[in-house]
């Protein structure tokens, strides 16, 4: 999957190159649908207080793409636990496994969005005290550092929360490692 990036609209980092959750979500959705996954499956009426839908489901597996605020990780995992214990079916199968996909800390991103390393810490602490019975697989999106990679650069019609694409082009990007393992990389467009 190519790295999807955009310019930030956030105060203090406006114009900086950051991870593009909208473009990444669109790419993932197209790939999963191509592989037979159902998307945006409505949550059954008795549990709609937990949200409107799950991102993807197939054969008892729920996949949640988690690029938003870090607090939503707990919502996604807790409701998946409820679906598991209630034997809730999505696309004809009981919930047996949840997969959470998120980006790595290496990517500059909007403030307060979840990153993989943070999710590992949260889920490790919760599993230590056996909060969940549902099997959970956490998947992090990473890229090679100190290299040049193909990217998809997107400009949206509105700077804030838009999903309408004005321009989407393929480019090259140099990913320069941060000063430490806990630092974000610099994404240098070429």
């Amino acid at each position: 999957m190519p790295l999807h990036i955009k310019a930030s609209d956030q105060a203090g980092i406006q114009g900086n190159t950051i991870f593009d959750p909208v473009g990444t979500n669109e790419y993932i959705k197209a790939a999963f649908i191509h592989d037979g996954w159902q998307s945006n499956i409505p949550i059954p009426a008795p549990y709609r207080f937990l949200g409107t839908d799950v991102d993807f489901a197939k054969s008892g597996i729920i996949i949640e793409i988690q690029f938003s605020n870090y607090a939503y990780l707990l919502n996604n995992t807790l409701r998946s636990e409820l679906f598991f214990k209630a034997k809730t079916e999505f696309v004809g199968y009981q919930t047996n496994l949840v997969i959470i996909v998120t980006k790595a800390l290496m990517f500059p991103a909007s403030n307060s969005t979840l990153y993989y390393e943070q999710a590992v810490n949260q889920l490790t602490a919760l599993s230590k005290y056996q909060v969940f019975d549902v099997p959970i697989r956490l998947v992090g999106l990473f890229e090679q550092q100190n290299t040049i990679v193909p990217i998809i650069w997107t400009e949206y019609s509105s700077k804030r929360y838009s999903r309408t694409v004005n321009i989407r082009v393929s480019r090259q990007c140099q990913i320069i490692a941060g000063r430490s393992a806990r630092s974000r990389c610099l994404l240098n467009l070429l």
Side-chain angles (χ1 to χ4, degrees):
M1 174 174 84
L3 175 60
H4 289 258
I5 59 178
K6 66 176 188 168
S8 175
D9 64 344
Q10 193 167 318
I13 60 170
Q14 283 181 325
N16 290 5
T17 303
I18 63 170
F19 180 85
D20 177 10
V22 173
T24 306
N25 254 330
E26 288 174 3
Y27 187 94
I28 290 171
K29 184 174 185 176
F32 281 169
I33 289 172
H34 181 264
D35 286 343
W37 290 82
Q38 298 292 314
S39 69
N40 305 103
I41 304 95
I43 292 175
Y47 305 124
R48 290 249 170 84
F49 60 90
L50 292 169
T52 57
D53 59 34
V54 295
D55 291 340
F56 301 96
K58 182 180 177 181
S59 305
I61 303 169
I62 293 173
I63 297 179
E64 295 286 3
I65 309 301
Q66 176 62 57
F67 298 140
S68 60
N69 188 285
Y70 65 87
Y72 288 110
L73 174 66
L74 295 179
N75 179 63
N76 283 340
T77 52
L78 203 52
R79 74 184 193 178
S80 296
E81 177 71 9
L82 174 62
F83 300 150
F84 177 74
K85 287 186 173 171
K87 300 182 183 339
T88 305
E89 290 187 7
F90 291 97
V91 297
Y93 293 89
Q94 289 182 5
T95 303
N96 292 316
L97 171 70
V98 61
I99 299 172
I100 306 289
V101 178
T102 192
K103 67 186 175 336
L105 173 68
M106 68 182 289
F107 297 118
S110 298
N111 284 341
S112 300
T113 59
L114 180 71
Y115 52 86
Y116 173 80
E117 295 82 353
Q118 183 181 33
V120 166
N121 291 337
Q122 289 183 23
L123 294 175
T124 299
L126 294 167
S127 68
K128 178 179 178 182
Y129 294 100
Q130 301 168 340
V131 173
F132 299 112
D133 291 322
V134 64
I136 298 172
R137 171 70 67 177
L138 180 63
V139 176
L141 301 180
F142 290 81
E143 187 55 84
Q144 292 293 320
Q145 297 182 27
N146 298 319
T147 189
I148 296 173
V149 299
I151 59 97
I152 304 294
W153 172 265
T154 304
E155 293 177 14
Y156 295 94
S157 65
S158 172
K159 291 187 188 281
R160 211 77 171 139
Y161 307 117
S162 178
R163 296 182 182 279
T164 305
V165 174
N166 271 353
I167 299 168
R168 181 168 278 158
V169 296
S170 297
R171 295 184 65 178
Q172 296 287 312
C173 178
Q174 181 182 24
I175 299 178
I176 302 167
R179 288 179 247 184
S180 74
R182 295 212 31 89
S183 298
R184 304 213 195 265
C185 292
L186 173 66
L187 303 178
N188 185 26
L189 289 176
L190 303 175

